């Protein structure tokens, strides 16, 4: 009986991808990475978690959380695999990844977490706050593009997995040169952002005059 219950519990585990970030604003690159993660690693859902109180906030002026959350909602509305989670926005604490993952594990039963990050963040991972606690509660899907330091990337993945066995996995993504910073800059320069963000997000930015100054 116990074995049957254990097997049933394993079968019911949901594989959840975590896309964290300021999303200031969310753009098509974020969506492409999330969709590729879902497909390549058979994820049941990808949660988009906008940063609340970033430890790096003093380095960047971040748009109000209400706007950032609304843009995420608009961007993911047509994908039933995607969901917005405001766990960091609703907290008064500084938004550290290890803390967010701990809370998610406490709030949801039978989940396996896959934290999605970019290649640049992978190389910085061990300098993050409490990386060991991050890995206690999640596996890492590291997105790379074929022209981006590919040999170095896979060597680094291999080295990390020697230190933290079966915790780091490569995520192959198409090349899309876009960043939130570039989008904000283009808006300030009165240049087009069409096809860089979902149409609904572009309309929201225009309506609320975000990033014009």
């Amino acid at each position: 009986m116990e074995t049957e219950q254990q097997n049933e519990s394993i079968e019911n585990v949901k594989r959840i991808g975590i896309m964290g970030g300021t999303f200031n604003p969310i753009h098509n690159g974020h969506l492409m990475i999330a969709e590729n993660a879902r497909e390549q690693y058979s994820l049941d859902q990808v949660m988009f978690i906008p940063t609340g109180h970033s430890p790096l906030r003093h380095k960047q002026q971040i748009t109000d959380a209400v706007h950032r959350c609304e843009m995420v909602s608009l961007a993911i509305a047509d994908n039933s695999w995607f969901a917005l989670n405001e766990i960091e926005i609703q907290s008064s604490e500084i938004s550290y990844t290890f803390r967010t993952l701990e809370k998610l594990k406490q709030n949801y039963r039978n989940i396996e977490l896959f934290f999605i990050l970019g290649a640049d963040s992978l190389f910085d991972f061990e300098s993050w706050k409490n990386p060991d606690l991050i890995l206690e509660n999640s596996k890492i899907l590291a997105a790379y593009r074929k022209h981006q330091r590919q040999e170095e990337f896979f060597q680094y993945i291999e080295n990390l997995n020697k230190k933290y066995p079966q915790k780091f996995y490569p995520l192959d993504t198409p090349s899309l040169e876009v960043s939130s910073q570039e989008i904000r800059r283009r808006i300030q320069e009165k240049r087009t952002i069409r096809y860089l963000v979902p149409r609904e997000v572009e309309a929201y930015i225009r309506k609320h005059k975000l990033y014009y100054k």
Side-chain angles (χ1 to χ4, degrees):
M1 176 64 74
E2 183 177 349
T3 301
E4 290 180 2
Q5 289 177 341
Q6 288 174 342
N7 289 338
E8 183 179 354
S9 177
I10 292 173
E11 290 175 1
N12 290 334
V13 170
K14 286 192 174 182
R15 297 163 62 87
I16 307 296
I18 303 298
M19 280 285 293
T22 56
F23 300 120
N24 190 33
I26 190 170
H27 54 67
N28 289 340
H30 294 130
L31 301 172
M32 185 180 294
I33 289 173
E35 179 64 8
N36 278 267
R38 184 196 67 76
E39 179 185 60
Q40 290 174 38
Y41 287 93
S42 302
L43 303 180
D44 296 298
Q45 186 181 71
V46 178
M47 287 184 184
F48 287 74
I49 303 182
T51 300
H53 303 280
S54 171
L56 303 177
R57 186 156 190 163
H58 64 283
K59 295 184 178 180
Q60 174 189 337
Q61 185 62 40
I62 300 179
T63 302
D64 189 273
V66 172
H67 290 308
R68 292 185 290 116
C69 286
E70 185 59 28
M71 286 188 286
V72 170
S73 292
L74 291 169
I76 67 176
D78 65 347
N79 191 326
S80 61
W81 302 97
F82 292 172
L84 168 66
N85 188 310
E86 298 183 27
I87 187 171
E88 291 190 0
I89 298 296
Q90 294 170 352
S91 174
S92 60
E93 299 177 318
I94 292 178
S95 302
Y96 288 114
T97 298
F98 82 91
R99 189 174 286 152
T100 297
L101 296 175
E102 285 178 343
K103 289 180 179 178
L104 289 172
K105 276 297 188 74
Q106 292 168 3
N107 294 345
Y108 296 90
R109 295 182 60 188
N110 291 340
I111 61 171
E112 183 178 11
L113 298 179
F114 296 80
F115 189 77
I116 303 166
L117 48 71
D120 291 340
S121 295
L122 174 72
F123 290 114
D124 294 333
F125 178 78
E126 290 190 288
S127 68
W128 289 19
K129 193 170 183 66
N130 296 336
D132 289 353
L133 294 181
I134 293 174
L135 297 176
E136 275 188 23
N137 289 299
S138 72
K139 295 176 181 176
I140 304 296
L141 305 184
Y144 72 96
R145 297 190 290 273
K146 287 185 170 58
H147 66 285
Q148 270 194 328
R149 304 164 69 184
Q150 187 171 346
E151 185 175 341
E152 182 183 359
F153 173 87
F154 281 102
Q155 184 61 57
Y156 200 69
I157 286 270
E158 183 178 340
N159 292 340
L160 285 170
N161 277 326
K162 289 177 181 176
K163 189 173 181 179
Y164 312 100
Q166 297 181 312
K167 284 294 186 178
F168 291 84
Y169 298 86
L171 172 59
D172 186 9
T173 57
S175 178
L176 181 61
E177 298 295 340
V178 57
S179 69
S180 297
Q181 183 178 14
E182 169 69 7
I183 290 168
R184 296 194 302 271
R185 185 177 66 79
R186 292 179 72 91
I187 292 171
Q188 290 168 0
E189 295 175 355
K190 299 182 179 179
R191 298 172 62 192
T192 182
I193 59 170
R194 192 175 186 181
Y195 307 124
L196 297 178
V197 300
R199 182 176 59 184
E200 296 81 2
V201 172
E202 180 180 8
Y204 187 91
I205 289 171
R206 303 296 184 197
K207 178 180 178 181
H208 294 276
K209 296 184 175 8
L210 303 180
Y211 313 119
Y212 279 75
K213 295 181 180 180

